[in-house]
């Protein structure tokens, strides 16, 4: 199995690049942001709780997110592997992912972090907000999401650094060029 963590700040292109990785490698996509937005759209209790937190740009509790991940891992065993998009976002989530994969005798092959400047992130997200109406793409929430990323999520890179699994990739330029850089990193992952 090939298990990839696609990591990076809000607007760095995780969703965009995930689509291309899935097309090439046939991996199962697990985006905690998408799973949470599905819950919000379905107006479940979990969705109602999550909406308020997401609209502020804060992180939903580890317990909720890890529960969703474990469910997805159970549903898709025996496939070619997973691409985790927007997860893990805290060191505790990274540890829990390790435990969950170990239960299946699996592991993360590589954690790829997309590097994009704050100015570019804000520009992309404001544009996406106008085009799609995504409610957390307003200036106040965007700035908070980036601050939360710097404070709570960046430490996840040190966690994977220690395991020699962190690969930083320049996340600006054309979508295809960035994808080429990602493919190069994936080609070096040991099975
Ligand atoms: P989530 O949905 O994960 O949001 P995010 O990390 O903020 O990421 P985005 O989806 O905004 O951006 P992206 O990196 O996927 O970029 P995209 O490809 O869309 O999470 C939302 C919220 O859910 C969180 O704030 C939190 O509350 C909660 N949550 C989610 N996961 C959680 C977790 N694990 N724990 C706790 N809470 C959690 O690209 C952005 C835009 O840029 C697009 O319009 C795209 O077309 C454009 N673009 C992409 N590539 C390029 C390029 N190369 N050049 C120019 N434009 C580009």
């Amino acid at each position: 199995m090939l298990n990839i963590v696609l990591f990076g700040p809000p607007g760095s292109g995780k969703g965009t690049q995930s689509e291309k990785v899935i097309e090439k490698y046939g991996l199962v996509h697990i985006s905690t942001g998408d799973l949470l937005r599905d819950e919000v759209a379905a107006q479940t209790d979990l969705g109602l709780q999550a909406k308020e937190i997401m609209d502020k740009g804060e992180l939903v509790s580890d317990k909720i997110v890890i529960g969703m991940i474990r469910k997805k891992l159970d549903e898709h065993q025996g496939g070619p592997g997973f691409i985790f998009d927007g997860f893990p976002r805290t060191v505790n989530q990274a540890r829990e992912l390790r435990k969950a994969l170990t239960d299946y005798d699996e592991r993360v092959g590589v954690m790829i972090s997309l590097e994009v400047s704050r100015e570019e992130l804000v520009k992309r997200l404001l544009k996406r907000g106008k085009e799609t109406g995504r409610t957390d793409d307003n200036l106040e929430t965007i700035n908070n999401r980036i601050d939360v990323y710097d404070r709570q999520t960046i430490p996840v890179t040190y966690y994977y650094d220690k395991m020699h699994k962190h690969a930083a990739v320049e996340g600006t330029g054309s979508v295809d060029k960035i994808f080429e850089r990602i493919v190069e990193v994936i080609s070096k992952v040991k099975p």
Side-chain angles (χ1 to χ4, degrees):
M1 261 182 151
L2 172 64
N3 296 308
I4 298 171
V5 170
L6 194 51
F7 187 87
S12 56
K14 300 182 293 293
T16 305
Q17 294 297 332
S18 287
E19 280 181 29
K20 296 183 76 69
V21 172
I22 291 157
E23 202 184 330
K24 186 170 170 74
Y25 300 95
L27 304 181
V28 174
H29 187 208
I30 304 190
S31 155
T32 41
D34 287 351
L35 291 174
L36 288 165
R37 278 184 289 278
D38 289 347
E39 297 283 342
V40 172
Q43 298 193 315
T44 62
D45 284 348
L46 191 159
L48 294 173
Q49 278 176 48
K51 184 173 184 336
E52 213 176 304
I53 299 168
M54 292 166 79
D55 281 345
K56 284 192 261 173
E58 301 290 331
L59 295 184
V60 173
S61 81
D62 284 352
K63 193 169 168 234
I64 288 179
V65 172
I66 291 158
M68 294 190 319
I69 291 283
R70 281 213 174 246
K71 188 161 170 273
K72 279 276 164 191
L73 290 178
D74 280 344
E75 284 168 6
H76 296 279
Q77 274 313 301
F82 295 93
I83 180 158
F84 299 95
D85 160 3
F87 175 89
R89 255 176 155 97
T90 61
V91 171
N92 184 40
Q93 290 181 14
R95 289 198 192 106
E96 290 295 329
L97 175 61
R98 188 174 186 194
K99 277 193 219 157
L101 288 173
T102 305
D103 288 347
Y104 294 106
D105 215 12
E106 284 296 331
R107 62 188 181 88
V108 167
V110 65
M111 182 269 225
I112 299 172
S113 64
L114 296 170
E115 312 276 309
V116 180
S117 71
R118 188 175 186 119
E119 195 189 1
E120 172 72 11
L121 297 173
V122 173
K123 205 169 81 185
R124 287 184 190 180
L125 292 175
L126 285 175
K127 184 163 177 266
R128 187 181 65 183
K130 274 199 196 119
E131 286 167 359
T132 68
R134 199 170 130 172
T135 54
D136 55 354
D137 284 347
N138 63 73
L139 191 57
E140 194 187 346
T141 304
I142 289 168
N143 274 319
N144 196 36
R145 275 159 69 201
I146 300 173
D147 291 344
V148 166
Y149 173 83
D150 287 345
R151 228 177 22 244
Q152 291 176 259
T153 304
I154 284 281
V156 175
T157 58
Y158 310 137
Y159 177 87
Y160 286 103
D161 269 338
K162 277 191 211 142
M163 291 193 275
H164 308 286
K165 288 192 176 185
H166 172 209
V169 162
E170 169 61 55
T172 44
S174 74
V175 169
D176 286 343
K177 187 70 206 165
I178 298 163
F179 183 59
E180 268 176 35
R181 295 175 193 140
I182 290 175
V183 170
E184 200 190 326
V185 170
I186 295 175
S187 72
K188 292 179 191 146
V189 177
K190 293 191 193 88

